[in-house]
Amino acid sequence: MSLHGKLKEIYKYEAPWTVHAMNWTVRPDKRFRLALGSFVEEYNNKVQIVGLDEDNSEFVCRNMFDHPYPTTKIMWIPDTIGAYPDLMATIGDYLRLWRVSDTETRLECLLNSDKDSDFCAPLTSFDWNEVDPNLLGTSSIDTTCTIWGLETGQVLGSVNLVTGHVKTQLIAHDKEVVILDVRVPCTPATRLNNHRACVNGIAWAPHSSCHICTAADDHQALIWDIQQMPRAIEDPILAYTAKGEINNVQWASTQPDWIAICYNNCLEILRV
């Protein structure tokens, strides 16, 4: 029997705390590894690295570390071939880069765009450049967007040092960012109306430009086929109801038949 044939349709992991940030690794050799950010208390928060033990069909915590501020987003370095160190980035008060191994996670560097101040404006989001993993962009509540350049190639003995510097900044970015079809910029391409509460997460299918998953406070994760645009999209093609308000959704980029959601203190991965 193939490995795929042995897999269940749903796997669940219950964390000790509420899970609010999540990201799926892109490395094929660690295909069921995820990072989870949890809020414990104001200055004592946790990040867990969990992986699926396929022999026992359950998730286990590989390692865990403290995070001094709630993580607003977590990302693994977009490196599918192992050309870079196994890095993970988190944001909250600052941008932090972590080196992950099978047994521990250690802080590589803390990046602060305002060296002249002891205070910082919390970071709200960031993204890692998939074409050049040495570039990473952050956004802050002080209306600043910063593009960081990373250096991961310096070698001291047998240790690859990771450092970073500000490449450029956009100041006073204080308006909404709206994504539209640039061929018809005056109106949304379509509207997806089936959710009955606030939508908290959206994930495009990594293998298809016509499929998208949305997740919301109504406990639902919905998968849509939008290839018939600009005609109205009436109903999703798949629906899953969780046992709590879903606050994050991730579609696995290296294995597009799996989606991860988190709600309350739970992580679930769903085979679609």
Side-chain angles (χ1 to χ4, degrees):
M1 182 182 294
S2 67
L3 179 62
H4 185 79
K6 295 179 182 179
L7 294 174
K8 299 190 297 185
E9 300 298 314
I10 301 174
Y11 292 90
K12 184 176 181 179
Y13 174 75
E14 294 189 26
W17 314 280
T18 299
V19 178
H20 57 84
M22 169 184 64
N23 195 247
W24 208 315
T25 186
V26 302
R27 294 203 171 183
D29 60 327
K30 300 182 184 296
R31 63 189 189 126
F32 286 111
R33 183 180 65 169
L34 297 99
L36 309 177
S38 293
F39 177 80
V40 183
E41 55 190 16
E42 186 173 5
Y43 296 108
N44 177 25
N45 302 278
K46 303 290 185 182
V47 175
Q48 294 179 279
I49 311 297
V50 301
L52 181 65
D53 183 338
E54 296 183 31
D55 292 331
N56 296 318
S57 296
E58 62 182 16
F59 271 103
V60 294
C61 181
R62 303 298 187 190
N63 61 73
M64 176 172 57
F65 58 93
D66 294 331
H67 200 277
Y69 199 86
T71 51
T72 48
K73 189 173 181 179
I74 299 174
M75 284 192 76
W76 295 92
I77 187 169
D79 171 26
T80 60
I81 61 175
Y84 294 84
D86 197 4
L87 299 177
M88 180 178 64
T90 63
I91 57 169
D93 50 350
Y94 298 106
L95 170 63
R96 292 174 171 85
L97 292 174
W98 309 83
R99 185 187 296 264
V100 181
S101 70
D102 291 337
T103 57
E104 66 173 356
T105 302
R106 74 169 187 265
L107 181 65
E108 282 290 300
C109 63
L110 182 150
L111 301 178
N112 177 15
S113 60
D114 189 356
K115 302 290 186 181
D116 299 325
S117 175
D118 292 333
F119 302 96
C120 62
L123 301 176
T124 54
S125 190
F126 78 103
D127 205 1
W128 217 318
N129 190 311
E130 294 183 4
V131 177
D132 182 1
N134 288 309
L135 295 175
L136 193 153
T138 60
S139 60
S140 169
I141 63 169
D142 68 358
T143 74
T144 299
C145 291
T146 304
I147 304 300
W148 295 91
L150 306 180
E151 293 83 36
T152 59
Q154 299 92 334
V155 177
L156 180 64
S158 60
V159 179
N160 288 45
L161 302 178
V162 179
T163 59
H165 66 279
V166 174
K167 290 184 70 71
T168 187
Q169 282 189 309
L170 172 65
I171 310 297
H173 182 67
D174 57 357
K175 303 296 183 183
E176 295 87 352
V177 178
V178 179
I179 299 177
L180 299 169
D181 185 338
V182 295
R183 297 165 297 184
V184 190
C186 297
T187 183
T190 191
R191 296 180 185 274
L192 307 176
N193 296 316
N194 288 49
H195 282 293
R196 300 184 300 275
C198 176
V199 175
N200 298 319
I202 298 173
W204 286 97
H207 63 299
S208 168
S209 62
C210 298
H211 294 87
I212 190 171
C213 182
T214 58
D217 280 349
D218 61 5
H219 301 198
Q220 290 197 98
L222 306 177
I223 294 180
W224 307 82
D225 183 347
I226 60 173
Q227 61 183 328
Q228 68 180 26
M229 293 190 307
R231 289 181 293 167
I233 311 298
E234 298 293 340
D235 295 298
I237 58 173
L238 286 175
Y240 177 76
T241 302
K243 294 182 179 179
E245 298 176 351
I246 303 174
N247 51 47
N248 207 328
V249 59
Q250 296 279 327
W251 206 317
S253 61
T254 57
Q255 42 189 355
D257 49 348
W258 290 93
I259 288 175
I261 61 171
C262 60
Y263 60 90
N264 301 332
N265 68 323
C266 297
L267 160 74
E268 288 187 343
I269 65 170
L270 317 170
R271 184 157 61 173
V272 296

